[in-house]
Amino acid sequence: MSDAAQPTAAEVRAAAEAVKAALDLHLAAVERRTGDDDTAVYEAFNALATAAEAYDEILYDRYDEVTPFEIPGADGALPPYAGPDEPHALSILIRRDYAVAEPQRLLAQARRIAEIDGDPDAPGPAARAGVSPLAALGVLFGEYEPDEIASRHKEFGLEEGDSTLWVTAAEELPEPGEWLNAPFEHADPERIICRFDVSAVFDEEEDDDIEDIEDAGGEAGGPGS
């Protein structure tokens, strides 16, 4: 970047002031929060993240320095919320990935369910539950709610992958059957009230942070630990 294109010292100072103001607004929103999914806190968090990222960039452009701040999810950050201030309906979008880690355990569990529910030798999916992984999965998910499978996945020979849950806001409920043919087609990131992600990549990042601290001669517990 040429000297002429660099931000001025006053612009850097203004960006720093914006971070301070965003901190104050975030703290105020947290102090007034009405629950775990308070929209004001969510919006204040995003505003603080945006201000901190802008300050980090302009500081580097002007002085070749960086801040110690790490913005969670900055690479795939959600756009600003643009849904209704008072939602009258909600949509919960869930994705959970599993690997079939132990096929024989899956088959055995499905066979047991089929034997409890009826004649395992009768025609249909139940009859194939103990020999066909595809049929076994049909029996398993037909018997248990997804949340129960999530909590007992190891019993069924499954291994967890990534998962995500989106809570999105709407003005009103869709008409019955309106979205059944394409349930996730119209998911709007700008209407996400809150989002919860689970991934092994987060654990790997924490492990890398610990290794970096240890390589630097410090301790993972921080000063005074």
Side-chain angles (χ1 to χ4, degrees):
M1 179 180 291
S2 67
D3 291 341
Q6 286 184 347
T8 65
E11 289 173 329
V12 178
R13 173 63 61 180
E17 294 299 328
V19 174
K20 296 175 187 177
L23 275 169
D24 289 339
L25 291 173
H26 181 261
L27 177 58
V30 170
E31 290 173 337
R32 296 192 305 266
R33 73 187 307 164
T34 58
D36 292 340
D37 299 331
D38 192 301
T39 302
V41 174
Y42 178 78
E43 292 175 350
F45 174 89
N46 283 339
L48 176 57
T50 300
E53 187 174 9
Y55 173 63
D56 190 89
E57 290 178 359
I58 199 170
L59 183 72
Y60 182 81
D61 290 342
R62 174 68 185 183
Y63 297 111
D64 199 27
E65 290 289 345
V66 296
T67 68
F69 307 137
E70 181 178 354
I71 310 303
D75 293 339
L78 294 173
Y81 178 74
D85 292 334
E86 297 183 7
H88 296 289
L90 299 174
S91 291
I92 311 299
L93 309 178
I94 301 174
R95 172 172 173 168
R96 297 187 179 117
D97 289 351
Y98 298 97
V100 181
E102 299 180 72
Q104 293 306 315
R105 180 182 290 272
L106 170 66
L107 295 173
Q109 289 283 18
R111 181 71 177 180
R112 181 185 63 81
I113 294 169
E115 290 174 349
I116 292 173
D117 289 348
D119 184 0
D121 297 322
R128 302 190 299 275
V131 294
S132 166
L134 189 61
L137 288 169
V139 170
L140 177 65
F141 281 88
E143 179 72 15
Y144 298 108
E145 294 290 335
D147 286 345
E148 184 168 4
I149 292 175
S151 65
R152 300 174 56 188
H153 62 278
K154 291 183 179 179
E155 294 180 36
F156 306 124
L158 304 177
E159 181 180 306
E160 284 184 309
D162 288 354
S163 67
T164 189
L165 182 151
W166 295 11
V167 181
T168 63
E171 299 286 358
E172 59 185 16
L173 283 177
E175 293 295 325
E178 181 177 334
W179 50 258
L180 291 179
N181 289 332
F184 305 110
E185 182 177 359
H186 301 295
D188 186 352
E190 293 188 351
R191 287 180 172 260
I192 294 177
I193 300 173
C194 53
R195 172 176 174 171
F196 304 95
D197 297 323
V198 177
S199 175
V201 71
F202 301 139
D203 298 332
E204 293 170 1
E205 290 174 354
E206 291 177 1
D207 291 341
D208 290 342
D209 291 341
I210 292 173
E211 290 176 1
D212 290 342
I213 293 172
E214 292 174 346
D215 290 342
E219 298 182 356
S225 61

